[in-house]
């Protein structure tokens, strides 16, 4: 049996992971919607012109600000989980050490830590985690106006980041399975809320007579395509 302390520690890691997964999805969706759709898929129940939809999302100041905020929160949250420092109370390494040293009474097979430990202990400065840690330090040390410059210089690809997340989730599923427990990992219900908002703003662009809206469309798409877009019902 695994005691309440180890399970509480593990549940805190899961909660931090789950929040970081939401932040990452929000950031990816709002800043690179086509990339997000290609990799993870959006449950779009209407017949959108996807290029125009993704153009509208990227053009939105509100979505852009949400994406940047979520990215920063993601970096801060995931680097806490994957920290090697003893000062991060609910890191995976802290849990591992407490289990290994029997500070928590437990019967876990600690081999499930092997892959994630290797990632945390990897000192390669070009690794995804190393880049995220540098970004975290930069976020704390710089003002908001430096945000885009810092992110552009140090940003790993979303594919690389999701691969890292898959490895963290694999570890969590493996250790929870030893307690015959299956916590929530799906964030579809969170992302689906944004789809309703996308439909609203897409519809606004279809009917808007505002000169700025029309100019932005005609500057990026053909007249014929925009006419189809404005007359096609969702």
């Amino acid at each position: 049996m695994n005691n309440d302390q180890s399970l509480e520690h593990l549940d805190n890691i899961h909660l931090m992971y789950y929040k970081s997964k939401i932040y990452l999805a929000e950031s990816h969706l709002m800043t690179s919607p086509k990339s997000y759709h290609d990799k993870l898929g959006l449950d779009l129940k209407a017949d959108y012109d996807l290029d125009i939809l993704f153009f509208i999302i990227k053009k939105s100041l509100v979505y852009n600000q949400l994406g940047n905020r979520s990215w920063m929160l993601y970096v801060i949250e995931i680097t806490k989980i994957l920290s090697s420092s003893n000062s991060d109370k609910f890191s995976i390494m802290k849990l591992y050490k407490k289990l290994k040293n029997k500070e928590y009474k437990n019967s876990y097979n600690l081999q499930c830590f092997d892959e994630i430990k290797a990632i945390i202990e990897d000192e390669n400065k070009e690794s995804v985690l190393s880049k995220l840690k540098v970004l975290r330090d930069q976020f704390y040390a710089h003002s908001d106006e430096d945000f885009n410059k810092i992110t552009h210089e140090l940003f790993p690809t979303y594919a690389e980041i999701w691969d890292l997340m898959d490895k963290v989730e694999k570890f969590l599923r493996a250790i929870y399975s030893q307690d015959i427990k299956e916590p929530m990992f799906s964030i579809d219900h969170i992302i689906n809320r944004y789809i309703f908002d996308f439909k609203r703003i897409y519809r606004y662009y279809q009917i808007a007579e505002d000169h700025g809206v029309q100019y932005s469309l005609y500057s990026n798409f053909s007249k014929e395509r925009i006419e189809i877009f404005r007359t096609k019902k969702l």
Side-chain angles (χ1 to χ4, degrees):
M1 285 293 292
N2 300 304
N3 71 1
D4 291 342
Q5 281 183 303
S6 60
L7 287 172
E8 181 182 1
H9 193 143
L10 181 56
D11 285 342
N12 275 292
I13 292 172
H14 168 263
L15 177 60
M16 292 167 69
Y17 169 78
Y18 191 74
K19 287 163 56 181
S20 73
K21 188 175 182 180
I22 293 171
Y23 294 145
L24 176 59
E26 288 175 338
S27 174
H28 194 175
L29 177 59
M30 301 309 171
T31 60
S32 299
K34 184 180 186 304
S35 166
Y36 182 94
H37 183 58
D38 290 346
K39 180 166 182 60
L40 300 169
L42 286 168
D43 187 16
L44 301 170
K45 302 186 186 303
D47 188 14
Y48 294 100
D49 182 317
L50 291 179
D51 290 335
I52 294 180
L53 174 62
F54 298 151
F55 167 78
I56 292 169
I57 294 170
K58 290 195 71 172
K59 186 173 175 58
S60 167
L61 178 61
V62 172
Y63 291 150
N64 186 260
Q65 289 174 338
L66 173 60
N68 286 347
R69 180 194 66 86
S70 294
W71 169 242
M72 185 179 293
L73 291 172
Y74 166 74
V75 170
I76 292 170
E77 205 75 7
I78 196 65
T79 51
K80 289 179 183 176
I81 300 171
L82 299 177
S83 172
S84 57
S85 170
N86 288 327
S87 62
D88 284 303
K89 187 175 180 182
F90 294 116
S91 70
I92 290 173
M93 285 302 292
K94 191 116 179 181
L95 174 62
Y96 173 77
K97 289 173 183 176
K98 285 183 175 290
L99 294 175
K100 185 179 179 182
N101 296 331
K102 300 299 181 181
E103 293 178 52
Y104 294 155
K105 292 181 180 179
N106 73 94
S107 57
Y108 288 117
N109 181 341
L110 299 186
Q111 284 186 333
C112 65
F113 283 87
D114 289 351
E115 184 178 22
I116 203 69
K117 273 179 75 267
I119 291 171
I120 295 169
E121 293 171 344
D122 185 359
E123 296 182 356
N124 180 3
K125 292 183 179 179
E126 295 302 313
S127 73
V128 174
L129 181 56
S130 291
K131 290 180 180 179
L132 292 174
K133 288 179 177 179
V134 172
L135 273 171
R136 174 201 60 196
D137 296 340
Q138 295 294 322
F139 287 156
Y140 281 129
H142 288 74
S143 57
D144 290 343
E145 56 263 30
D146 292 327
F147 177 89
N148 288 328
K149 181 174 183 293
I150 294 168
T151 290
H152 178 73
E153 291 175 349
L154 299 172
F155 189 74
T157 67
Y158 276 118
E160 290 172 329
I161 299 167
W162 281 113
D163 183 62
L164 173 65
M165 294 294 282
D166 288 344
K167 290 180 170 64
V168 178
E169 189 162 317
K170 178 184 175 182
F171 157 74
L172 288 171
R173 289 182 183 276
I175 192 167
Y176 270 117
S177 69
Q178 296 183 49
D179 285 310
I180 318 177
K181 188 175 179 181
E182 179 68 23
M184 180 177 287
F185 289 104
S186 174
I187 58 169
D188 290 347
H189 62 293
I190 304 292
I191 298 304
N192 287 342
R193 296 174 189 173
Y194 293 113
I195 293 175
F196 291 108
D197 198 46
F198 294 162
K199 184 174 183 179
R200 177 190 61 78
I201 194 171
Y202 186 91
R203 182 60 183 149
Y204 169 75
Y205 268 74
Q206 283 184 306
I207 63 176
E209 299 297 331
D210 179 82
H211 175 73
V213 169
Q214 293 196 32
Y215 178 79
S216 68
L217 289 172
Y218 281 100
S219 296
N220 291 275
F221 302 97
S222 69
K223 181 179 178 180
E224 293 75 19
R225 189 168 186 177
I226 293 168
E227 288 175 353
I228 294 171
F229 160 69
R230 290 176 70 88
T231 56
K232 191 173 186 179
K233 291 184 177 180
L234 292 178

